Structure formats: C-alpha cells, structure tokens
Amino acid sequence: MLQAPQASRASSSDNQRTTNVRHCPALFISAIASGQGKTTITAGLARYHRNQGRNVKVFKTGPDYLDPLILEQAAGSPAEQLDLWMVGKSRCRHYLYEAAKEADLILIEGVMGLYDGDPSGADLAEFFGIPVAAIISAPTMAQTVGAIALGLKQYRPTLPFAGIIANNLGSERHAELINESMPADIALLGCLQKRETLTLPQRHLGLVRPHELADYDDRLNQIAAVLEAAGLCQLPAPVAFYDDVDTESRNDDAPNKPLQGVRIGIAKDEAFSFIYPANVRLLEQAGAQLHYFSPCVDQQLPDVDCLWLPGGYPELHLDALSNNRSMQQAIHEFYQQGHKILAECGGMLYVQQAIHTLDQQVWPMVGLIPGLGIMREKGGCQGMQSAVLPEGELRGHAHHRTKSEATLPAITFGKRIRHPAPGEPVVRSKGLTASYLHFYFPSNLEATVRLFHPDEVLG
C-alpha cells in the first residue's frame, strides 16, 4: 500500500560525497497540525511491527523529549532526534544509514504540521526521499478532507507522498464520505474511528511518560490492534539511505578523548529527565565518566568534577526537591568551590531561589543564583535557538511553561533561526551556566568540552 521512492532525493552534490547504501522500508508520519494523533499512530505502528518480530527503529523530528520516550517504549529501541538545522544534514543522514543497516522498518514522527517550521518536516522527508503519510483528524468534517489532502500533495509536488490517514471519525458512513472525496491520485491509507484506546494521557508540555502508567504496554498493544484492523500495518517499500564519506561536518567524533577521565554528574530522576541520547553518547565518546544521581532522593552528590542539571518536571516534584536539604547543601558547596555546572530549563529553575506555583505556593530551591520560576497557565517560549557562548556556538531549543524573574543579567541571548527578537537569556555565576535553552551537544564538540572540562576557564 505505502510505496516509497527507491532512492534518496538528496541533491547530486550530496550524492557525490556519499558512498555506501542501505535499503530499508521507511515512513514519515506527519499531520496537518499538532494534536492530530502522530505520536499515537507512530507508536502503534512501531508496536505492531515489533510484535511481529521486526527490528523497528524510530525517530522524532525536531527537539522533543517526551514523544521519543513513548516511541522507545513502543519499538523497544531508543528514539533519536532528526532535524536538519539542530542535528544537521550530515548527522541525520548518518543516523538513518546506521538504522537502515539493521532495521526491518524505520518510522519517523513529524512535528506540528507537515509544512510548519523552517526547516519543516516536509523538508526532511523530501531531502531523504521518505514517503509521507499525513494524518487528518476529522471529527467535524467529511468531504473537506479530500480538499485538504489535495492541498497537502500539490503544495509541494516533489514531496514523496504516500497518502492520508483519517483519524477521529464518528462512524463507518463518515469514513465512506471521506473516501468518496479523495482525489484519484491520493491514497486513503486508513480510517480510524474515535475511541478511548487511541488516546494517550497528556499533561502540560506533552504526553505522560510511559513509566508513570502500569498499563502502558497494554495501551500500545491495543493501539496496534486497531491500526491492524484499519489496514495500516503493511510494510512500505524500501528507501535507499546513504552515509557521508566526509564525516568531519558532523562534529561529533572525539578521537582524542578530550574529556578523558572527567567525571560528570548528571541529574536523572522523575524531576530531571529531558536528556538527548546524542548528548550522552557524545560525552561518553569524548571519554567522560558519567555518574547519575537523583536530586529528589539522594542525599549527597557523587564524586564528580562537574554537574549537568538537565530539564524535566521539577514543578511536579517540589516537595521532594524543596525538602531535600542535604542535596541542596551539597550542590551549594560544589558551586562555591567553583566547579562547573550546566543547568538547563528545569535545572535552571532548580538552582534559582524558588519556584512559584499556580496555587500561589512558593517552594525554596537551591538558591545558587537569584531568580524566581513562576508557573503559568499556558504560553511560554518554544522553538529552535542557538547561543553564542564564549566557548563557542551551541544549537538547541526552548520549550517551557514558566517564566524566570529577577535573576542575573544575561551574558548572551539565544538567536532564533529567523526572527530578530532576542531569544533565551544565558546567565553565569562562578562555574555555573544557566538558561532555559536545552543544548544539543553534538552541534559543537569543542564548545561542549570547554563547558565541562575542569581545566577550561569559562569566558
């Protein structure tokens, strides 16, 4: 049913720089907007094919921490980020090539709408020649689905377009009306009626993490069964994936082990879990020794040279974080000794003075720097940004529901891809670097090394 191009659509100049090819069935799952069911359907397909004994590799377009956890749970293998700007074309190509070497199926979940963003999911799918299945949630429309499908396909005729998945329908008759509306050259891949089993639980910033629900695997298996019944589980045709001859532009190889012997403590628990697998992999390839600890539970820091406090959901675990005085004191002493600390988003809120909740409670935090993190009902910054630090430029993104007030003056601000307005502030105090930005370490190996190496003086 899902026919794919037989070779990548990378430019001729790109193909001249590549050798080695691997073929693997692949599908890019996008939609007309957020909230259409991309994660649910991608996870359901991954679980179905995994249940058939296939090796499934899953990817998530753009910067996201929650959806990849669900895709990993469904497929049984880690979900990597793919983004032409943040990750880079060369590294994206390498990840897909490595996946194709051992996978029976590659699934890529898009972000927002198919053509949203610059670069968009459509840009990524076309660059690698991966067919697109576009989801249209249609509880309140019928024949208009055909018109939308036509627009999606004709908006970019060069895009490999597999067809449409109609979601959240009310009845079989509803599906018939949609089928009748479809242009002759656009496939209606399947119709899914609205049902509870096709809904994954959500909270602010995204979906609930799989480990928080005991029946998550049962839910995924039920979704897989629904997709199978709808005829959505046939394997797509293979796509050709190449790898670069010149890997220097990937900037993630560390043959000289510049962090050899450096011990990095990484906060990782219910409150702090927004960690790119590629960041961890880069630190390990650079020779660092990684030691995980829990600010919620542990009383002392591990014996380390520097700390990384990533983002997460500190606002959901304020009692544990605020009352763990021993850990707060340990981090305070570590900071006073001048050791390096990178605090991102939730990690930055944790090292400020307090977090102010929607119910007007104020929870004291570590207090390394001034600042109050204030929860908001909605809104907050999101999007791709880079930060030009004294150590070098790092790419990443911001996505948060809080605002930070009365903190230190910024040493620099994030740069948005196109919009001229200043992005997220980056502040420094002693060895601490703190910002709402989540950095993608492979975007600049040298800058990452300088941020963590004890012998490098922060600018």
Side-chain angles (χ1 to χ4, degrees), residues 149-160:
L150 183 64
L152 290 173
K153 188 173 189 293
Q154 291 189 350
Y155 189 79
R156 185 178 297 183
T158 54
L159 181 69

Side-chain angles (χ1 to χ4, degrees), residues 417-437:
I417 296 179
R418 290 193 178 275
H419 199 284
E424 300 290 354
V426 181
V427 303
R428 278 211 168 141
S429 177
K430 295 184 180 291
L432 170 69
T433 301
S435 177
Y436 268 122
L437 287 173

Side-chain angles (χ1 to χ4, degrees), residues 373-410:
I374 302 174
M375 289 295 301
R376 294 184 286 187
E377 288 282 359
K378 58 182 180 179
C381 178
Q382 61 182 1
M384 300 288 200
Q385 297 180 30
S386 62
V388 181
L389 304 172
E391 294 72 34
E393 182 172 352
L394 277 168
R395 294 186 173 188
H397 86 286
H399 182 44
H400 53 90
R401 184 63 63 82
T402 62
K403 61 179 178 179
S404 177
E405 293 188 348
T407 191
L408 298 174

